[in-house]
Amino acid sequence: MDAQEVVAEELSARGLTLATAESLTGGLLGGLITSVPGASRFYRGGVVAYATEAKEHVLGVDGDLLAAHGPVSRQTAVAMAVAARTRFGADYGLATTGVAGPAEQDGHPVGTLFVGLSGPAGDRYAALLGTATTRDGLRAWAVGEALRLLVEELGLTGA
């Protein structure tokens, strides 16, 4: 069973909901989640906030936080997750921000990924560096890592 199917089954069984906020994955995460039949039982929606201004003005990420830490940071990933959770009224918010290339951004190398997760137990993040050699490869890897973090949060690390 793929990670998105595990997440769908578990969230549905527990009566929990999910919302997403994406930057470098550009809607790939929400697309994969909604590829699961019955996703409407648990998926509230998502926002693609690719530009820094969208993170601030659409999601409501604090401008001072963005100025201090930049759009590619653990702080921004967590703030995006909190915003998704809050704006959609979901139990969990899951967010991705990073650098898919072709060049580094604000001193972060291509492959930098921050995943933010906000849920009933609090907020957490993962900071990772991918080694995929293509933009599409990095984006697909980032989606997998975001789902992995949620699977772990749900206590399904053996899934």
Side-chain angles (χ1 to χ4, degrees):
M1 189 178 302
D2 292 328
Q4 68 272 17
E5 294 167 328
V6 170
V7 164
E9 186 175 288
E10 196 64 25
L11 290 176
S12 294
R14 295 185 192 185
L16 298 171
T17 55
L18 172 67
T20 56
E22 302 180 63
S23 186
L24 89 149
T25 50
L28 212 66
L29 178 59
L32 189 61
I33 289 166
T34 58
S35 72
V36 178
S40 61
R41 290 189 313 262
F42 69 91
Y43 187 63
R44 293 280 191 235
V47 171
V48 175
Y50 208 69
T52 301
E53 296 80 14
K55 290 172 182 64
E56 180 178 3
H57 300 297
V58 175
L59 282 174
V61 173
D62 185 84
D64 291 336
L65 181 145
L66 288 164
H69 301 286
V72 178
S73 67
R74 67 178 172 81
Q75 294 89 345
T76 297
V78 169
M80 290 171 65
V82 169
R85 181 180 183 208
T86 303
R87 291 184 182 272
F88 284 97
D91 296 297
Y92 289 95
L94 188 58
T96 60
T97 189
V99 183
E104 74 173 34
Q105 179 182 339
D106 298 327
H108 296 288
V110 172
T112 299
L113 169 66
F114 293 97
V115 178
L117 176 66
S118 180
D123 305 329
R124 58 190 287 211
Y125 73 95
L128 305 157
L129 185 61
T131 57
T133 57
T134 66
R135 206 175 148 74
D136 286 344
L138 282 169
R139 292 173 65 235
W141 165 79
V143 166
E145 289 300 319
L147 288 171
R148 182 196 56 74
L149 186 64
L150 181 55
V151 165
E152 183 180 286
E153 179 73 10
L154 293 169
L156 306 169
T157 53

